[in-house]
Amino acid sequence: MSTPYDLPSDPAKRHSAALTDGPDRAGARAMLKATGFTDEDLAKPIVGVGTTWIETMPCNLNQRDLAVHVKRGIRDAGGTPMEFNTVAVSDGVSMGTSGMRASLVSREVIADSIELVCRGHLFDGLVQLCACDKTNPGTAMAIGRLDIPAIAFYTGSIAPGLYRQREVSIGDVYEGIGAHAAGKISDADLHELESAACPGAGACGGQFTANTMSTILDFLGLSPLGANGIPAMHVAKEEAAYEIGKLAVQTVRGNVTPRSFVTKESFENAVASVAATGGSTNGVLHLVAIARDFGIDFTIDDFERISAKTPIVADMKPWGRWHANDMYNAGGVALVARELKKAGLLHASARTVDGRTFGEIADAAVETEGQTVVVPIGTPLKTRGGVAILYGNLAPEGCAVKLAGHDRTLHRGPARVFDSEEDTFAAVKAGNVVAGDVVVIRYEGPHGGPGMREMLHVTGAIVGEGLSDSVALLTDGRFSGATHGFMVGHVAPEASRGGPIAALREGDIVVVDVENHELNVELTDAEIADRLADWVEPEPRYRRGVLANYATLVASASLGAVTLSRYETE
């Protein structure tokens, strides 16, 4: 009597055959049969379907539903899906608390856990569902490390809320907090706003970090361009999930691995997409980190080189008029690709996971008549991208400044120095920050925080206080993609590692000069050195556990705030 042991292995089972085939693997098959898989299932290529579902935020709330359709597509195409889950931390929920320190750290945990499950279970391919801020780069990092056929699937943007006949998002709530503190709106106003801002499942609705990273996944080619931009609750999202499942099996059979099509040019396309859409400064941090896992030489200077020559063509919140769902209705980010191609700012021969080139995608873009989300690149909203990289005696390793949403390129003023986000927020709320100030938040970097908290709680308060046009803010921490104003983040080296920002004192004159790409304090090198000679590193906030481990291993923000193995530090 013949048994499955006698059947030749499917050649697409390049990895999973070692787990499932032959009499020696009877123990593994017995375990898998207990979960419902059959001999027929285990004879097919196995595709992992990863989700980051969690009930702590709306961003990932639809992923278990979409995973059903991804798995249906995989089965119909002749593969066997195996679903798994990993963690997520909500920036929007944890913002302004100690919980925010877990956010960037979760990027590493997400990447590590996806990698571990795929390596441990020898998947032949992967579809990874992602949505909130760190699940997107964590997904891309894992895909780069594994280099098995893989697709990143962004599960969509939230619909805008409606507050008094005005479309709003989570960024409006944080600015409402500042307006409330300034006495400009009442308790009832703020409560009504918070209750309307997030109407259902999906990631934050502007071109904040989540949608910036969705655009990056598109322009790196890790997603079939068009699927990510479908809003979370749109009827077309389920069909897109099904088609992605089918595509996953095709990539497995064709052995289309990410490193076979993601190149340095892909990263340059991704930067151009961030610049052209006025995206989040977090795009700098995450692209550098993703490039490392793809083995591609890409630095913050590459980001600046491309951003400086790329005009802004998408009128997106937090600084513009439109949400991500409006971009979808206008024709999607293919319109951005089209405009970049017109100006010679797109590597048209770069490919996506479905085999199309960006030139083909740009040429096939279909624009909704009368749309005003994406403007012609010949008449851009701004002539350079929304993020710039600065250096200087306060940032020898560099920093990132957000330019979209304001026209200032120079600010000189006295430093208001705070050693935590909480102290800064209290000062802003109390009216102790005034026009002309340079608000400095330090000891919030990757190592010192640890975890490089975002400062939306503070920046939202500054906007709400009416100070966004008259103060600057600099930090060794990060900014939310919902932030707008003259904000300088990722200052490196950070304060907790003896960076010059640790030498700042109240009243020192700080100069942010975008035109000359400089961030300086009006002190001599000798004066800075004298102050740092007396500096003592603060006691760590955590001495054990994941945050302590991250603080021990993490590299500078200028290197993507990645954790480094001992082989990379020797």
Side-chain angles (χ1 to χ4, degrees):
M1 184 178 73
S2 66
T3 70
Y5 303 167
D6 304 319
L7 299 175
S9 180
D10 187 319
K13 290 174 65 68
R14 294 178 181 86
H15 303 281
S16 66
L19 197 79
T20 63
D21 289 11
D24 291 346
R25 302 307 306 158
R29 288 193 301 277
M31 301 273 298
L32 290 167
K33 287 175 180 179
T35 71
F37 294 105
T38 66
D39 285 328
E40 291 74 18
D41 294 330
L42 299 179
K44 299 172 183 176
I46 296 173
V47 180
V49 179
T51 77
T52 52
W53 183 91
I54 195 166
E55 208 168 24
T56 61
M57 65 184 91
C59 316
N60 305 355
L61 202 59
N62 61 334
Q63 291 191 2
R64 289 197 299 189
D65 295 332
L66 290 177
V68 170
H69 299 284
V70 172
K71 289 158 56 173
R72 182 167 57 90
I74 290 169
R75 292 190 191 99
D76 285 356
T80 294
M82 290 188 180
E83 187 175 345
F84 66 97
N85 203 101
T86 185
V87 301
V89 173
S90 170
D91 292 20
V93 173
S94 65
M95 191 74 66
T97 73
S98 62
M100 185 66 193
R101 294 194 178 102
S103 172
L104 185 59
V105 179
S106 77
R107 182 190 72 179
E108 313 307 306
V109 175
I110 291 160
D112 290 350
S113 61
I114 295 169
E115 178 189 3
L116 283 171
V117 172
C118 291
R119 292 194 193 281
H121 295 93
L122 300 180
F123 293 151
D124 300 302
L126 171 68
V127 176
Q128 181 63 47
L129 283 68
C130 52
C132 64
D133 292 5
K134 306 312 168 295
T135 65
N136 296 307
T139 289
M141 291 163 70
I143 287 173
R145 294 176 197 173
L146 290 162
D147 200 33
I148 60 173
I151 300 171
F153 181 30
Y154 178 70
T155 50
S157 179
I158 195 171
L162 191 64
Y163 171 71
R164 299 179 182 177
Q165 307 307 308
R166 176 171 65 93
E167 288 190 348
V168 293
S169 67
I170 188 65
D172 296 285
V173 179
Y174 278 97
E175 291 172 14
I177 294 169
H180 177 268
K184 297 177 180 179
I185 64 174
S186 67
D187 289 356
D189 294 333
L190 183 59
H191 184 260
E192 183 183 348
L193 174 60
E194 74 170 73
S195 300
C198 300
C204 296
Q207 193 67 347
F208 309 155
T209 302
N211 282 310
T212 297
M213 290 308 304
S214 168
T215 306
I216 284 172
L217 293 175
D218 276 332
F219 279 77
L220 284 176
L222 295 177
S223 306
L225 197 141
N228 286 355
I230 303 170
M233 300 309 293
H234 195 286
V235 65
K237 201 72 178 184
E238 292 181 356
E239 181 63 22
Y242 174 74
E243 292 298 329
I244 279 176
K246 291 172 60 179
L247 176 62
V249 177
Q250 293 174 28
T251 63
V252 168
R253 293 211 173 275
N255 197 25
V256 181
T257 60
R259 291 193 181 196
S260 71
F261 61 86
V262 175
T263 64
K264 178 72 173 279
E265 290 185 341
S266 306
F267 278 84
E268 293 183 347
N269 281 347
V271 174
S273 76
V274 174
T277 58
S280 170
T281 52
N282 284 313
V284 181
L285 194 76
H286 297 324
L287 273 169
V288 172
I290 295 165
R292 169 179 170 266
D293 281 319
F294 271 87
I296 290 172
D297 181 18
F298 180 85
T299 71
I300 59 173
D301 294 326
D302 291 311
F303 198 104
E304 167 60 27
R305 171 176 55 83
I306 296 159
S307 185
K309 65 182 181 181
T310 305
I312 299 179
V313 297
D315 192 1
M316 303 287 287
K317 287 183 177 293
W319 59 274
R321 294 181 295 163
W322 301 110
H323 292 94
N325 291 4
D326 298 307
M327 172 69 84
Y328 171 73
N329 291 329
V333 294
L335 299 181
V336 176
R338 182 191 68 185
E339 297 306 314
L340 292 171
K341 182 173 181 281
K342 287 179 184 177
L345 297 171
L346 183 77
H347 294 293
S349 62
R351 292 188 294 119
T352 74
V353 66
D354 61 8
R356 291 179 295 168
T357 68
F358 275 92
E360 292 168 343
I361 290 166
D363 293 342
V366 178
E367 179 176 1
T368 300
E369 185 177 355
Q371 69 84 23
T372 58
V373 180
V374 178
V375 304
I377 202 161
T379 53
L381 299 165
K382 286 199 170 187
T383 56
R384 69 149 292 153
V387 177
I389 305 299
L390 313 183
Y391 290 89
N393 66 5
L394 274 179
E397 294 178 3
C399 61
V401 58
K402 190 157 190 174
L403 302 176
H406 63 86
D407 295 319
R408 286 190 291 163
T409 58
L410 180 67
H411 185 101
R412 179 180 181 273
R416 301 296 318 284
V417 182
F418 303 93
D419 288 347
S420 74
E421 180 185 5
E422 288 84 355
D423 290 347
T424 317
F425 180 75
V428 174
K429 188 176 179 180
N432 294 331
V433 171
V434 299
D437 284 347
V438 178
V439 178
V440 178
I441 312 176
R442 62 189 181 187
Y443 297 107
E444 292 285 9
H447 171 263
M452 207 176 179
R453 287 194 290 180
E454 292 181 347
M455 302 296 157
L456 182 58
H457 207 49
V458 170
T459 60
I462 287 172
V463 172
E465 291 277 354
L467 294 170
S468 62
D469 293 330
S470 58
V471 304
L473 187 151
L474 67 93
T475 179
D476 52 11
R478 298 182 294 129
F479 296 122
S480 165
T483 293
H484 58 104
F486 205 31
M487 311 294 178
V488 184
H490 311 187
V491 173
E494 62 179 288
S496 69
R497 285 185 163 153
I501 191 174
L504 280 178
R505 295 176 183 170
E506 194 82 4
D508 286 343
I509 301 301
V510 173
V511 182
V512 185
D513 185 347
V514 175
E515 295 293 337
N516 291 307
H517 295 87
E518 291 185 351
L519 173 66
N520 291 308
V521 58
E522 292 183 353
L523 297 172
T524 66
D525 290 347
E527 288 171 319
I528 294 173
D530 284 345
R531 291 185 185 184
L532 290 175
D534 298 326
W535 173 82
V536 177
E537 180 180 354
E539 287 293 310
R541 289 188 172 95
Y542 305 90
R543 291 187 173 275
R544 60 184 59 83
V546 64
L547 295 179
N549 293 342
Y550 179 85
T552 301
L553 298 172
V554 71
S556 168
S558 64
L559 299 176
V562 296
T563 52
L564 299 178
S565 74
R566 70 181 182 87
Y567 302 105
E568 295 171 289
T569 56
E570 288 176 348

